[in-house]
Amino acid sequence: MAEVLVYVDHVDGAVRKPTLELLTLARRIGEPVAVHLGPHADEAAKVLAEHGAVKVLAADAPEFAEYLVAPKVDALQAAYDAVSPAAVLLPSSVEGKEIGARLAVRIGSGIITDAVDLEAGDEGPVATQSVFAASYTTKSRITKGTPVITVKPNSAAPEAAPAAGTVEQLAVTVADSSKGTKIVARTPRESTGRPELTEAAIVVSGGRGVNGAENFPVIEALADSLGAAVGASRAAVDAGWYPHTNQVGQTGKSVSPQLYIAAGISGAIQHRAGMQTSKTIVAINKDEEAPIFDLVDYGVVGDLFDVVPALTDEVKTR
Ligand code: FAD
C-alpha cells in the first residue's frame, strides 16, 4: 500500500489533535508515515502509533528551534526522498501551510490548502475545500507531482487504529540557505487555560452586541462551562474589547469546531468566512432578522445578557 507522509504538529513531544485527525484521513489514502521534527519523538510515537502511524521518521536539530521554517522543510524533504509518498499531509496552521508550500515548490508539486475533507480517488486523493466565504464547496485533485495537502483542524474525528509506529532516525542536513531567518526572541502568550481557538471542539464568540470589554466575561463564563475557546467578531476586536488573536473571520482565524456559538454577532459574510464550516452553529441575537439566523442550526432570539448566563447556569448543572 502507498505511504502517506503526515507532518506532526507537537509541543515538546505532546502531539496536537490536528495531527491525529490527519492520521485518520491519511488512512483513507494509504499507510501513514509520521514525520516528527524536534525532541521527544519516542513519546510522540506512542500516540502516533495508536492512531495508525506505521512508522515515525524522527529528526532533531538545533536549527529547527533557531530558525523559521526552512530547516524543517529540509527535513520534510529528506523524509519525502526516503519514502516517495503518495501524498504529504500537514495541518492548516500558519507553519503547516508555509512548510507545505515550500515543499511543494521544491518537489515540483501542487498544493491544496485548508481542505476540510479528504478521500481516495482513482487518480489521487481528492480534497474538499470550502471557498468564497464558505458559499461553495469544491473538490480538487492535484494533477502535477505528489499532492501536498493542508487540512483544517476539526475536519475529522481522530480514530484509534493501532499500528507499529516504529521510530526510524532521519538523516537531515540543514542547508546554509535555510538559515536566512533567525528567531531572536520568543514571547509566550499568557495562558488563559482555554483551548487554542483553531483547535477547540467548541467555540463561543462575542460580537458588537456584547457592548464592551467589561461584558466579555459573560462570554468567557459560557466558554469555560463548556471547555470552549473564546472568539470575537472584528467589530468587537476593532473596538478593543478582545484581542485580535481571537478574531474569527476573513481577516482573523478560521475555525471549524463541532459547536460554534455566536452571541451578539450579526453574521456578516466576512465573519461567516471564518466559521461557516462549523458542524453545529448556534446564534443568540435580539434581532430576529439578523443574517446569522440564515446559517444556524439553532437560533435563539433574545438578549444575550439574559440567554448566555442562563445557558451557562444550565450547563453547570449537568
Ligand atoms: P454587528 O454587525 O454590529 O452586529 C451586532 C449584532 O449584535 C446585531 O445583529 C445585533 O442585533 C446584535 N445584538 C446587539 N445587542 C445584543 C444583545 N444585547 N443581545 C443579543 N444580540 C444583540 N468581521 C469579522 O467578524 N471577522 C473578520 O475577519 C472580518 N474581516 C473583514 C474584512 C474586510 C475586508 C471587511 C470589509 C470587513 C471584515 N469584517 C470582519 C467586518 C464585518 O463586515 C462586520 O462588520 C463584522 O463582522 C460585524 O461584527 P458584529 O456582527 O459583531 O457586529
Side-chain angles (χ1 to χ4, degrees):
M1 198 189 235
E3 291 177 314
V4 177
L5 281 189
V6 171
Y7 179 82
V8 177
D9 184 12
H10 69 98
V11 180
D12 287 334
V15 178
R16 300 175 83 163
K17 187 168 152 265
T19 302
L20 307 182
E21 297 167 15
L22 288 182
L23 288 169
T24 302
L25 293 173
R27 293 205 310 275
R28 297 180 186 171
I29 307 170
E31 288 192 322
V33 173
V35 181
H36 179 101
L37 306 181
H40 308 298
D42 285 334
E43 242 167 73
K46 287 181 203 141
V47 180
L48 297 167
E50 281 165 13
H51 291 81
V54 294
K55 211 185 317 177
V56 179
L57 298 177
D60 197 4
E63 288 90 345
F64 295 157
E66 286 171 16
Y67 298 90
L68 292 183
V69 298
K72 292 181 179 171
V73 183
D74 290 340
L76 188 57
Q77 190 174 0
Y80 170 87
D81 292 340
V83 168
S84 299
V88 182
L89 306 185
L90 305 98
S92 269
S93 58
V94 173
E95 181 178 279
K97 284 198 262 194
E98 184 171 350
I99 292 175
R102 284 171 179 259
L103 179 74
V105 169
R106 289 189 188 186
I107 63 177
S109 294
I111 180 167
I112 294 173
T113 56
D114 291 338
V116 293
D117 201 5
L118 208 55
E119 60 200 281
D122 293 341
E123 295 171 82
V126 177
T128 304
Q129 287 165 296
S130 178
V131 298
F132 292 134
S135 313
Y136 293 91
T137 295
T138 64
K139 286 186 184 285
S140 327
R141 182 173 59 75
I142 292 199
T143 54
K144 181 173 178 247
T146 302
V148 179
I149 301 170
T150 77
V151 181
K152 277 189 170 188
N154 291 311
S155 294
E159 287 165 15
T166 320
V167 179
E168 286 181 18
Q169 290 305 315
L170 187 66
V172 176
T173 308
V174 176
D176 283 343
S177 58
S178 296
K179 298 178 188 169
T181 323
K182 199 168 170 59
I183 296 169
V184 292
R186 288 175 194 273
T187 314
R189 252 188 297 145
E190 221 174 276
S191 171
T192 59
R194 299 191 184 99
E196 167 67 33
L197 183 60
T198 53
E199 291 173 20
I202 306 177
V203 175
V204 182
S205 288
R208 204 195 304 270
V210 175
N211 201 25
E214 66 280 11
N215 298 328
F216 252 88
V218 173
I219 303 294
E220 292 176 333
L222 177 58
D224 291 342
S225 73
L226 292 163
V230 175
S233 73
R234 179 162 160 180
V237 169
D238 283 356
W241 302 343
Y242 223 67
H244 180 256
T245 43
N246 295 66
Q247 183 179 316
V248 173
Q250 187 180 313
T251 43
K253 290 187 174 151
S254 258
V255 300
S256 204
Q258 297 297 324
L259 173 62
Y260 187 87
I261 302 178
I265 292 177
S266 62
I269 191 159
Q270 296 90 352
H271 187 79
R272 291 175 179 218
M275 46 65 77
Q276 198 161 355
T277 54
S278 305
K279 308 294 174 295
T280 301
I281 300 172
V282 176
I284 301 153
N285 197 304
K286 65 181 183 184
D287 175 9
E288 64 178 41
E289 302 289 329
I292 190 103
F293 286 129
D294 294 342
L295 78 145
V296 297
D297 298 283
Y298 302 96
V300 182
V301 179
D303 190 317
L304 74 89
F305 295 106
D306 297 329
V307 177
V308 174
L311 191 53
T312 307
D313 289 344
E314 183 62 31
V315 172
K316 280 185 182 163
T317 62
R318 302 209 171 193

